[in-house]
Amino acid sequence: MEFSSLSDSAVLAELGERIRRERLNQNRTQAELAADARVGLNVIKRLETGDGCTVSSLIRIARALGKIDALDTLFPEPGVSPLQLARLAGRRRKQASGGRGRRKGSGNG
Amino acid sequence: MEFSSLSDSAVLAELGERIRRERLNQNRTQAELAADARVGLNVIKRLETGDGCTVSSLIRIARALGKIDALDTLFPEPGVSPLQLARLAGRRRKQASGGRGRRKGSGNG
DNA sequence: CATAAACAGCCTTTTTATAGGCTGTAACTC
DNA sequence: GAGTTACAGCCTATAAAAAGGCTGTTTATG
C-alpha cells in the first residue's frame, strides 16, 4: 500500500488507523492516550476516525506513543552543502533563485 | 539531532525548517508550493516559521513536495498478528484489553 | 540607487480544531 | 441478563487555522 496512490483524505484516514493500531498494540485506551498526550479525548477519536487534527496535536500524540523520532523520517534533512548552510546561517535565508530570469506568468509584460 | 530531545514546539519548528529546505532544494517559492499544494500562502509561511498547521495541510504540502510516501514511515504498520487482524476485521475493533482487572484509579473498590 | 522577486508580519473574515459533556452501542466479565 | 469498559457520534463554546490582502524588509540584478 502506497500513500502516493491515495487521496488526501484517504491518507489521513490511513494515518488514523495506524495510530489506532499502534495504540492498541500498546494496550492503551483512547482516554489514556489523550491524557498522556495532553489533548482532549475528542482529538484522539477524531484522528482515529479520519477527521484529522493539527500538527501540534500529532506531535503530542506521537510523543505519547513513543514515536516522536518517527517524525524525524518525515522530512529528513536533505543533503545541504556546507556552502549553502553558511548562506542559510547568514543574513537571512536563501530565496528560491532565478529572480527575473524565472518569471512564470507575466513573461511578456 | 533527535526529536526526542526537543520540545513539542521545537519539533514543530524543526519540521518547518526542513520543509523549507526541501522546498529550496527544489528551487521553488512559497507561492509556487502553496499553489501546487492548494493551500494559502499563509499556510506555507506559518508552517515554515514554526507556527504549525493542520495534518490535512501537511499532507497536501508533502504531496506537492513529492514526499507523500514519507508519511508512510511516520506510523508504519506495526506487526499485527493474523489472529489480531482477524479480530480487527471482525465485528468491531479490538478494544484495549484488561477490563476490570486493569482499572487504574479505583483499584481497591 | 532603482527595480523586481521572495518573504515576514500583521490584519479581517470564514472555517476548522479543541475541550468537555452526554447518549447509545458493542465488547467483555460475571 | 446485569454491570462495566471502550468507543462513536453529536452538541456547545472557545481557540486556532485558513484564505486573501497589504506593508516593509531582505535578496538579487542592473
Side-chain angles (χ1 to χ4, degrees), chain A residues 8-61:
Chain A
D8 291 339
S9 59
V11 169
L12 198 56
E14 174 67 20
L15 217 56
E17 285 185 31
R18 292 191 184 183
I19 286 174
R20 169 173 307 191
R21 261 179 263 176
E22 180 59 40
R23 173 179 64 80
L24 291 175
N25 263 18
Q26 298 183 11
N27 201 39
R28 296 159 86 181
T29 67
Q30 290 181 337
E32 287 170 350
L33 179 57
D36 291 345
R38 295 177 321 253
V39 300
L41 175 57
N42 243 337
V43 174
I44 306 292
K45 286 200 284 192
R46 284 170 50 86
L47 178 59
E48 290 194 357
T49 51
D51 273 347
C53 64
T54 60
V55 176
S56 292
S57 292
L58 186 68
I59 288 172
R60 290 181 171 203
I61 292 164

Side-chain angles (χ1 to χ4, degrees), chain A residues 36-100:
Chain A
D36 291 345
R38 295 177 321 253
V39 300
L41 175 57
N42 243 337
V43 174
I44 306 292
K45 286 200 284 192
R46 284 170 50 86
L47 178 59
E48 290 194 357
T49 51
D51 273 347
C53 64
T54 60
V55 176
S56 292
S57 292
L58 186 68
I59 288 172
R60 290 181 171 203
I61 292 164
R63 193 189 298 276
L65 284 172
K67 295 280 182 181
I68 187 65
D69 281 331
L71 282 165
D72 198 18
T73 70
L74 221 183
F75 288 95
E77 316 191 47
V80 182
S81 69
L83 265 176
Q84 190 175 7
L85 255 183
R87 302 185 66 179
L88 285 170
R91 315 189 181 178
R92 202 156 151 262
R93 276 183 173 83
K94 174 182 177 297
Q95 295 181 352
S97 64
R100 307 189 61 184

Side-chain angles (χ1 to χ4, degrees), chain A residues 1-6 10-11 14-15 18, chain B residues 69 72 77:
Chain A
M1 214 275 303
E2 297 198 5
F3 272 23
S4 50
S5 66
L6 299 179
V11 169
E14 174 67 20
L15 217 56
R18 292 191 184 183
Chain B
D69 281 331
D72 199 19
E77 316 190 48

